Amino acid sequence: MITGELKNKIDRIWDTFWSGGIANPLEVIEQITYLLFLRRLDDLQTLEENKSVRLKRPMERRIFPEGQDDKGRSYEDLRWSHFKNFTPAEMFTIVSEHVFPFLRNLGGDDSTYAKHMEGARFTIPTPALLSRVVDLLDDVPMEDRDTKGDLYEYMLGKIASAGQNGQFRTPRHIIRLMVELTSPQPTDIICDPACGTAGFLVCAGEHLREHYPNILHDEKLKQHFHQDMFHGFDFDNTMLRIGSMNMLLHGVENPDIRYRDSLAQDYSSDEEAYTLVLANPPFAGSLDYESTSKELLKVVKTKKTELLFVALFMRLLKPGGRAAVIVPDGVLFGSSKAHKELRRMLVEEQKLDAVVSLPGGVFKPYAGVSTAILLFTKTNSGGTDHVWFYDMQADGWSLDDKRSPLLSEDKLGPVPSTGLNEDEHAKNNLPDVFARWQERNKSELKRARTEQSFCVPKADIEAQGYDLSLNRYKEVVYEEVEYRAPKEILESLAKLEVEIQQRMKELEGMLG
């Protein structure tokens, strides 16, 4: 766990960046990410050195070469363990003039992250700021995967700017819910085609470590976990660097995090390649037909990104593959031909499992858009008997711009360590969503449509033109209130008036 002391240090560094002239939180994260990577490179070289001494063999792999760079500086000085001890001015010279040119040409660390270093720019403005950041990061116990992962998550939480193209950060507890609902398996091949900071992939990896503690003891599964399981695409290079570092710090050595405009490029190599898709794609805006993948337009002819992404998910999945994806409410009830056709395909050609309606403020302060989680299985042969709906009212945090926790930490998230009573459930519905989801083919079938969750047979959905909005099927119970007859009310008013007049006369008599 990340301690309060560590959080305070990061907050101080953050403030220093701001006062030093770097106000863009993404840029702050990116600079810290470069430094974390440098520290990792040094640790890897130290491991190799120790191994070579122990085995009395020459080093197999050397990240920092022997000798000097083309400016005459020893490569040894480019290592974290060396430059952290220099004066701030000398450290600044080494990092800006020697380390960054070295990083841009680096292929020595085989991680995905190294591949995204070509455009690395050093923008920390002063030696004093660099020195403070290096001191802070040097205190972080990097051998502890949980701490360094939590540290990075804490920093990512500070990205409170909704970027261009409608990208914004998915709350971790919503990601955790979607991962729990789809229950990743050790042999899954997982994809997020709009991965951003790789939150879904990180959470899936943590879920697997927790539920399958032996996954890294089996050589075949370990290889799969580090090399072949995780795939993320994004068209923002900063996000690719941050996402791959996030995976690296959470102990996934070589995930496939790559540059790709998921909606524009044709993707025949990725068609039916994955067994699980987890995503919260950007759904602001529309594309030109010319810049949209022709294969996607064959599935659904539309310019709307949210519909194109759902079509993409269907194409990426292998038959039998599952998806949990966030969509804006418009996808559920939009009346255009493309909207209706896409919903028809989900219900008739695939197996639509569930629609979980999210509360309105889930994405505040970034966006106020109403959304839902769609859960479906690719079959290419139908299979939807009924669809499970859940009307989530609360997610454990306030639904205003502050998004403050409403319960103690042990009662938050979809799998809290402490059970919730009725009042606490009213503040956090996530554990209930998870519990009822597991009963969706059993006891949930008997629930009335007046309840928080219920099932709707496919025939009813078809009859409603494949409308998937929860309110279309939810029944509201109105309490019958009996009012007195108007004549009776008027009579009692007249009686009151007589009593008031009488009392007034008595008071006048007493005062007179």
Side-chain angles (χ1 to χ4, degrees):
M1 270 302 291
I2 180 169
T3 61
E5 188 189 347
L6 203 49
K7 282 184 181 176
N8 290 338
K9 280 185 178 177
I10 292 164
D11 292 344
R12 284 202 300 277
I13 286 291
W14 214 263
D15 294 341
T16 315
F17 266 111
W18 277 74
S19 53
I22 299 184
N24 178 356
L26 271 180
E27 191 177 349
V28 176
I29 285 261
E30 192 168 32
Q31 295 302 306
I32 292 175
T33 300
Y34 293 145
L35 295 171
L36 286 171
F37 183 57
L38 278 172
R39 186 172 162 190
R40 173 189 153 82
L41 291 179
D42 186 37
D43 290 346
L44 286 175
Q45 177 117 334
T46 305
L47 276 174
E48 284 290 331
E49 287 167 347
N50 293 344
K51 191 168 140 191
S52 105
V53 169
R54 206 171 55 248
L55 300 175
K56 298 185 173 62
R57 282 198 214 136
M59 282 173 66
E60 286 173 23
R61 195 178 72 155
R62 185 181 279 280
I63 294 166
F64 296 91
E66 292 173 301
Q68 299 177 330
D69 66 9
D70 54 10
K71 290 180 182 170
R73 191 93 204 194
S74 164
Y75 278 113
E76 283 295 300
D77 287 348
L78 275 54
R79 295 178 63 171
W80 179 276
S81 53
H82 287 235
F83 71 65
K84 73 175 185 181
N85 299 313
F86 293 159
T87 63
E90 193 175 358
M91 185 195 297
F92 190 79
T93 303
I94 286 174
V95 173
S96 60
E97 294 178 18
H98 301 272
V99 172
F100 266 72
F102 169 73
L103 279 183
R104 283 193 284 269
N105 301 314
L106 181 76
D109 159 310
D110 291 331
S111 70
T112 315
Y113 185 76
K115 299 183 186 84
H116 299 309
M117 287 303 292
E118 289 164 12
R121 288 181 318 114
F122 178 65
T123 59
I124 292 177
T126 63
L129 178 55
L130 174 64
S131 179
R132 283 192 65 182
V133 179
V134 168
D135 286 347
L136 164 88
L137 295 178
D138 201 51
D139 286 345
V140 179
M142 294 297 269
E143 60 284 349
D144 180 354
R145 184 180 57 81
D146 285 343
T147 302
K148 63 190 184 187
D150 289 348
L151 169 86
Y152 207 65
E153 283 292 321
Y154 179 66
M155 291 196 291
L156 291 179
K158 290 176 168 288
I159 302 180
S161 58
Q164 281 69 46
N165 308 312
Q167 58 176 228
F168 47 83
R169 193 165 172 269
T170 314
R172 300 297 99 171
H173 53 287
I174 299 296
I175 288 180
R176 177 91 195 269
L177 174 67
M178 291 164 70
V179 168
E180 293 292 339
L181 295 176
T182 50
S183 185
Q185 303 297 302
T187 52
D188 267 327
I189 304 166
I190 305 169
C191 180
D192 178 353
C195 69
T197 62
F200 282 101
L201 300 178
V202 163
C203 189
E206 297 296 291
H207 176 94
L208 285 159
R209 284 177 187 270
E210 195 181 317
H211 289 80
Y212 302 95
N214 295 325
I215 189 169
L216 298 178
H217 299 161
D218 177 306
E219 204 48 50
K220 201 170 171 188
L221 289 177
K222 180 181 174 182
Q223 166 84 1
H224 179 66
F225 183 85
H226 285 304
Q227 309 284 337
D228 307 318
M229 180 179 274
F230 301 101
H231 304 261
F233 313 141
D234 210 291
F235 55 80
D236 181 324
N237 281 315
T238 302
M239 284 297 171
L240 290 170
R241 279 195 277 270
I242 290 172
S244 45
M245 176 54 74
N246 200 10
M247 293 294 281
L248 202 56
L249 293 177
H250 281 88
V252 181
E253 289 299 321
N254 201 6
D256 168 31
I257 307 276
R258 60 187 138 118
Y259 182 91
R260 177 159 169 181
D261 187 343
S262 289
L263 298 181
Q265 288 166 249
D266 283 335
Y267 50 89
S268 42
S269 61
D270 288 303
E271 192 169 341
E272 298 198 342
Y274 308 103
T275 61
L276 176 59
V277 167
L278 295 162
N280 174 18
F283 28 71
S286 51
L287 302 173
D288 307 328
Y289 285 137
E290 295 75 51
S291 58
T292 306
S293 157
K294 304 292 174 282
E295 293 172 44
L296 283 183
L297 289 174
K298 281 182 204 163
V299 181
V300 57
K301 191 158 175 57
T302 180
K303 294 178 181 179
K304 287 202 163 293
T305 53
E306 59 265 37
L307 299 183
L308 290 165
F309 266 110
V310 177
L312 175 70
F313 303 146
M314 286 194 257
R315 296 299 291 265
L316 292 175
L317 283 171
K318 290 175 185 270
R322 299 104 62 217
V325 298
I326 294 175
V327 296
D329 276 2
V331 170
L332 307 178
F333 57 75
S335 56
S336 78
K337 190 177 167 192
H339 279 89
K340 288 178 175 173
E341 175 55 18
L342 195 71
R343 294 195 300 264
R344 186 200 66 76
M345 288 164 69
L346 279 170
V347 173
E348 296 290 354
E349 295 175 18
Q350 314 303 339
K351 182 176 185 292
L352 180 60
D353 299 301
V355 177
V356 178
S357 174
L358 295 173
V362 160
F363 291 110
K364 283 186 172 178
Y366 317 120
V369 61
S370 293
T371 52
I373 302 170
L374 278 187
L375 293 124
F376 66 90
T377 307
K378 177 167 175 171
T379 61
N380 287 340
S381 57
T384 309
D385 296 323
H386 57 265
V387 177
W388 182 69
F389 286 84
Y390 191 103
D391 184 10
M392 193 197 294
Q393 300 289 337
D395 69 344
W397 272 259
S398 64
L399 296 169
D400 53 15
D401 282 355
K402 289 196 176 122
R403 292 292 271 144
S404 318
L406 301 176
L407 297 166
S408 55
E409 200 164 315
D410 59 330
K411 294 182 177 179
L412 290 170
V415 193
S417 50
T418 311
L420 306 189
N421 61 33
E422 207 169 312
D423 287 346
E424 289 162 342
H425 159 72
K427 293 176 181 173
N428 178 15
N429 295 170
L430 303 187
D432 189 51
V433 176
F434 184 43
R436 293 191 188 197
W437 159 258
Q438 294 171 81
E439 294 294 316
R440 67 192 180 281
N441 295 320
K442 302 172 201 158
S443 58
E444 286 293 299
L445 291 167
K446 301 188 184 92
R447 284 193 187 273
R449 292 195 194 175
T450 50
E451 298 188 56
Q452 195 164 9
S453 67
F454 52 85
C455 292
V456 178
K458 185 179 100 168
D460 290 15
I461 292 172
E462 191 181 347
Q464 293 290 352
Y466 300 103
D467 190 316
L468 296 176
S469 52
L470 181 135
N471 290 336
R472 172 69 70 184
Y473 305 101
K474 191 173 178 68
E475 291 170 8
V476 181
V477 179
Y478 295 102
E479 277 185 41
E480 194 175 332
V481 181
E482 284 194 24
Y483 296 102
R484 291 156 65 197
K487 188 180 176 188
E488 197 183 318
I489 295 170
L490 289 168
E491 282 172 0
S492 64
L493 283 172
K495 191 176 166 189
L496 271 172
E497 185 63 30
V498 170
E499 284 175 15
I500 291 166
Q501 294 297 337
Q502 198 173 336
R503 184 76 180 130
M504 294 280 282
K505 281 178 187 169
E506 283 172 12
L507 282 168
E508 278 171 16
M510 284 166 69
L511 291 167

